[in-house]
Amino acid sequence: MDKWIIDTDRSVATFEVRLLFRRLRGKFTRISGTALLDPDDITRSSVAAVIDAASAAADDAVWNTQLKGAHFLDAEHFPEISFRSSSIEPLGGSRVRIFGELTLHGTTCEEMLDAEYSGPVAERDWDYPGEERLSMGLSATTAINREDYGIAFEAKEAGSLLLGKEILITLDITLVSAFVPAGARIRT
C-alpha cells in the first residue's frame, strides 16, 4: 500500500449551482488529505480529504460573502468539509467510482464520485536539487442536493427559486508521494 498526500498548492475543488437564470461558479482553494493506493488491487485503496470551508470563493461579489455565511456553508460553525471513502469500484482503464461519506454543514451523507486517475510520474522537485518525487492526478465529479445537508435557503424571485438545489462539484487533485533518487526505476 502506497501513501500519497494531496498537494494543496496544486489541488482545487470547484462547484456550480443555478442562481436564478445563470450558473454561479466558485471554488475551494485549500484541500488537504491522503490516499492509500494499492497498485495491484485498486479496490483496497482509500482516500480521505478535508476542504477548508472558509477558502470558498464565488464568481459573484455579493454571493462570495454570503457563501461562507450562516445561510449556506456557515464556515464559522462548520469550518471543514470532509470526505472519507468506503469503497472504490474499478470501471476499466483509469476510471473508478469512489463511494464514501461526505460531511458538509455538520451533516454526513453517502455520496458517489466518478473519477479518473493518471500517473504516477516522476517530476523534478525544485526544492531539493537532484531529487524527484512521484505525482498522480485525480479528477472526480459528483452532484449533491444541498437540502440533504441542511442548506435550505429558499429565497424566491419572480416566482422562481433563487438558488438551485443541485450542486455540481469537480475535484482536480494532485497527489504526491515520497522523494525518490533521480533516475530510480518507478513502479507504475
Side-chain angles (χ1 to χ4, degrees):
M1 195 75 68
D2 299 327
K3 183 175 182 177
W4 297 77
I5 299 168
I6 292 176
D7 184 337
T8 301
D9 294 331
R10 298 189 294 166
S11 298
V12 66
T14 60
F15 59 88
E16 184 176 311
V17 62
R18 185 182 48 76
L19 177 60
L20 196 54
F21 54 86
R22 67 181 186 92
R23 304 297 286 180
L24 174 69
R25 292 177 177 83
K27 64 183 175 179
F28 295 95
T29 57
R30 289 193 298 268
I31 304 169
S32 60
T34 58
L36 295 175
L37 301 177
D38 185 334
D40 299 321
D41 183 0
I42 196 72
T43 64
R44 293 184 32 175
S45 300
S46 63
V47 62
V50 175
I51 296 173
D52 180 350
S55 75
D59 64 356
D60 180 292
V62 173
W63 283 91
N64 195 37
T65 303
Q66 293 181 6
L67 180 62
K68 298 172 205 170
H71 290 301
F72 300 101
L73 293 175
D74 197 0
E76 182 179 341
H77 293 102
F78 305 107
E80 294 182 343
I81 300 165
S82 64
F83 179 81
R84 181 170 304 279
S85 67
S86 55
S87 65
I88 298 178
E89 174 188 329
L91 298 176
S94 60
R95 294 181 50 240
V96 295
R97 192 163 281 147
I98 303 171
F99 299 89
E101 293 184 338
L102 176 66
T103 301
L104 168 65
H105 201 254
T107 301
T108 301
C109 296
E110 288 287 324
E111 297 292 350
M112 183 269 301
L113 292 88
D114 284 315
E116 186 170 5
Y117 60 90
S118 59
V121 298
E123 61 181 11
R124 181 180 187 167
D125 189 292
W126 297 100
D127 295 327
Y128 298 92
E131 297 290 323
E132 292 182 336
R133 65 180 176 182
L134 298 176
S135 65
M136 292 183 67
L138 177 70
S139 295
T141 59
T142 192
I144 65 170
N145 183 331
R146 64 180 172 82
E147 290 183 338
D148 291 346
Y149 295 91
I151 303 172
F153 182 75
E154 292 298 338
K156 292 187 178 188
E157 191 169 296
S160 295
L161 186 64
L162 184 62
L163 190 69
K165 294 179 183 179
E166 183 180 72
I167 301 172
L168 304 175
I169 300 170
T170 302
L171 302 162
D172 286 305
I173 305 295
T174 298
L175 298 163
V176 294
S177 189
F179 297 107
V180 294
R185 183 174 169 88
I186 297 165
R187 186 174 90 186
T188 57

